Each structure stands twice: as C-alpha cells, then as structure tokens.
Amino acid sequence: MRKPVLKAVFPVAGLGTRFLPATKAIPKEMLPLVDKPLLQHAVDEARAAGIEEFVFVTGGGKRAIEDHFDADAELNRFLELKHNTEGLDAVRQTEIAPGKLFYTRQQQPLGLGHAVWCARAVVGSDPFAIILPDDYVLSQTPCLKQMVEAYQEVGGNIVAVENVPREHTNRYGILKIGSDDGRLVTVEGLVEKPAPAEAPSTLSIIGRYILQPEVMDHLSRHERGTGNEIQLTDAMARLVGQQPFHGLHFEGTRFDCGGKVGFLEATIAHALTRPDMADNVRRVLKKYSS
Ligand code: UTP
C-alpha cells in the first residue's frame, strides 16, 4: 500500500534580499498578504491537504516565525476578556499542535536542495511535501490537495507545473516531458534554469513538490549545480527512471511573492477573494486605474 503524505517541509532560510530593508529584521515569509503572513498561507494550504507534521527549515533572524506559530496565552486571555472572538479565532489558527512542529536550521544558505536536506531526520523514510511560501497559489482546490489527489492515483514524485514564456526558462526548474494528457505529465528529465535555446520544454516547476525520501540520498552528496548552489532539481533528476515522476498541471493561479510586483499582485488578488474587503478594494483600484 502507498504511504500517505503526512509531512511537509517549508524551506524558509533564505535571506530575502529582494525585499530589503523590510527583511532586515522581519523574515520574508512573515510579510503578510493582507493580514496573514505568507508562511501561514502555506501552512493552511498544507493542512487542507491533510498534512499533520510541519518542518520549518530556518536560519538566522527567523525568530518571529517561532513566535507566530506558538501559543500566546497572554494574548488569548486578553482577547477572551474583550470578547474579541474574531481576533481569538484568527490567533488560534496560527497554533500548531504540540509535537507536530519541527524546526531545523540551515546555518548557511547553500541552496534549496541543501535546505531540504537539513530536514532529513524528520522526514525519515516517509514521502513528504515541500512548499515554498514565496509561491502563493490561488485556486478552487488548494494546490497541494490537488497534488495529494494525483499522488493517490500515481504515487512516486510529483511537482506542480505551469508554462512560462520561453525567454524566462533561465529562472526556473524546467521539465523534459514524455507524455502529457493535459493534467498529468510524465517527466523524463529536469534541468535547473536552462537558457531558452537549450530548455527541453517551457514547463516550469513551481514551489510545490511531493517527493520520495530517496531524494535525500542524492542531496547528501552535496553536489553543486547552477549558481554554485546545492540544487533540489539536480537531486530530483536522479530519481527520474528509478521511480514514477509526474508533473501536475494544477488548477489555479500562481503568484511569485519573491519579487515586489508579484507580491503586490498576490496581495490584490487575495484581497479581491475576501468578502470583508473586496468591494472596497475594487473601488480603490478603480481610483488608480484612470
Ligand atoms: P529564493 O532564492 O527565492 O529566496 O529561494 P531568498 O534567497 O530568500 O530571496 P532573495 O532572492 O534573496 O530575495 C526560494 C525559497 O527557498 C528558500 C527561501 O527561504 C525561499 O523560501 N531557501 C533558498 C532556503 O531555505 N535556503 C537556501 O539556501 C535557499
């Protein structure tokens, strides 16, 4: 029987230099889309997909993350006293059950592959998900849930994919594809940031993965790839041909919150889904669109 995906790794040890000075004292993953930090959106998505254990790979200057996901008895008491049920609900949603949240440190930002490898002790011999909180996905069904459903059908390794303009292939991990039925793609190879002329396709990997634990064996070799970083894409490429490997054309829109304009667009798109503010936001947007 196929092992269920119950663990998720959140690599959040990057320096977030594109958002300086905002990220000097506040981790990039704590920047909010309206009123909820990016990392909390990612945790909520994982919960909706059935994830039970959460592994944060952090680095220096990330203490705000620990405080955010901790229980704050004093704040809870204050909100109770004020009968602020809305605030209390919002705060309770940030809490992760005792023993279900794990922190590990990546002492140096040596690359995404290295960050994932830092979670190996908690992942153990189980399949696991990875969510990069910088990639925010707005969809009917949460993106990771769509992937878990696909995993129940085909097993192995699954990455969420979308088409990008050919001139942008040098920004992403790109698939070499076998068959494509419009939903699932069979993967024949993966290349990190290929030049447009050399890219085997224009299907790029977004920050959502379901991987088998054997990827850790390949990561443990610490081989450097593009940009002299230890690349997750290179370790995943080693699994191709050894285990099933699929790309999933997910339903939804992905926003790159690692950059300023993408972050702003995600903020607007998220706000427009919120019944408590959509009309007002639309009014404001109209004001600035003329
Ligand atoms: P990015 O390269 O987009 O994030 O990595 P960054 O380095 O924080 O941002 P900039 O470019 O300096 O503005 C994508 C994801 O991988 C994590 C980051 O935290 C982010 O969630 N990451 C990246 C690590 O955890 N460790 C690394 O060594 C590299």
Side-chain angles (χ1 to χ4, degrees):
M1 217 189 64
R2 204 163 277 147
K3 275 189 175 177
V5 184
L6 301 175
K7 297 176 179 176
V9 175
F10 302 80
V12 290
L15 300 178
T17 52
R18 281 171 287 172
F19 279 93
L20 285 169
T23 47
K24 189 176 169 214
I26 299 166
K28 172 174 71 172
E29 302 77 18
M30 289 303 294
L31 298 177
L33 290 187
V34 183
D35 49 11
K36 205 192 266 187
L38 277 176
L39 184 52
Q40 168 120 39
H41 283 286
V43 164
D44 290 350
E45 182 182 327
R47 273 196 184 116
I51 297 298
E52 295 180 359
E53 298 190 338
F54 304 81
V55 192
F56 293 169
V57 183
T58 69
K62 302 278 180 173
R63 282 210 194 120
I65 292 177
E66 296 192 23
D67 289 340
H68 181 79
F69 290 97
D70 208 0
D72 186 337
E74 208 172 309
L75 177 62
N76 289 358
R77 215 172 306 122
F78 174 81
L79 294 168
E80 266 163 22
L81 249 144
K82 296 278 175 197
H83 303 292
N84 184 345
T85 47
E86 206 179 311
L88 202 56
D89 285 349
V91 165
R92 289 240 162 93
Q93 225 193 40
T94 65
E95 295 171 13
I96 292 177
K100 297 291 185 184
L101 174 55
F102 304 86
Y103 289 96
T104 177
R105 276 227 174 188
Q106 185 193 28
Q107 285 87 347
Q108 282 177 285
L110 298 178
L112 179 59
H114 183 260
V116 170
W117 177 76
C118 290
R120 66 198 179 282
V122 187
V123 165
S125 56
D126 294 319
F128 64 107
I130 303 171
I131 297 190
L132 304 189
D134 302 21
D135 273 345
Y136 173 66
V137 182
L138 206 52
S139 53
Q140 295 288 324
T141 305
C143 184
L144 190 62
K145 186 161 195 274
Q146 296 177 44
M147 294 173 73
V148 166
E149 285 165 4
Y151 175 79
Q152 283 157 357
E153 294 165 36
V154 294
N157 304 275
I158 302 181
V159 288
V161 295
E162 70 175 7
N163 263 305
V164 292
R166 184 161 278 275
E167 62 268 29
H168 292 170
T169 56
N170 56 0
R171 301 180 187 174
Y172 304 99
I174 299 289
L175 303 191
K176 179 169 189 275
I177 56 181
S179 62
D180 184 348
D181 69 7
R183 178 170 167 261
L184 281 170
V185 178
T186 56
V187 178
E188 290 190 342
L190 301 119
V191 196
E192 184 63 24
K193 300 189 174 68
E198 278 137 42
S201 79
T202 54
L203 265 192
S204 76
I205 305 169
I206 72 154
R208 302 288 183 279
Y209 312 73
I210 290 177
L211 298 178
Q212 297 300 314
E214 287 77 15
V215 76
M216 295 294 187
D217 301 337
H218 299 295
L219 287 172
S220 68
R221 293 199 194 103
H222 290 191
E223 283 166 2
R224 304 280 181 145
T226 307
N228 200 31
E229 291 190 356
I230 298 168
Q231 297 286 356
L232 179 60
T233 304
D234 296 342
M236 291 192 300
R238 303 283 179 99
L239 298 176
V240 175
Q242 310 292 313
Q243 301 176 341
F245 211 124
H246 291 87
L248 174 74
H249 291 282
F250 63 99
E251 163 275 310
T253 309
R254 167 238 178 208
F255 299 90
D256 177 8
C257 297
K260 288 168 208 169
V261 176
F263 187 90
L264 190 62
E265 189 183 350
T267 303
I268 294 167
H270 171 69
L272 290 172
T273 66
R274 300 254 307 239
D276 61 331
M277 59 193 301
D279 288 346
N280 282 337
V281 173
R282 227 171 263 121
R283 212 166 297 130
V284 170
L285 289 175
K286 213 182 239 168
K287 188 167 137 194
Y288 288 95
S289 63
S290 53

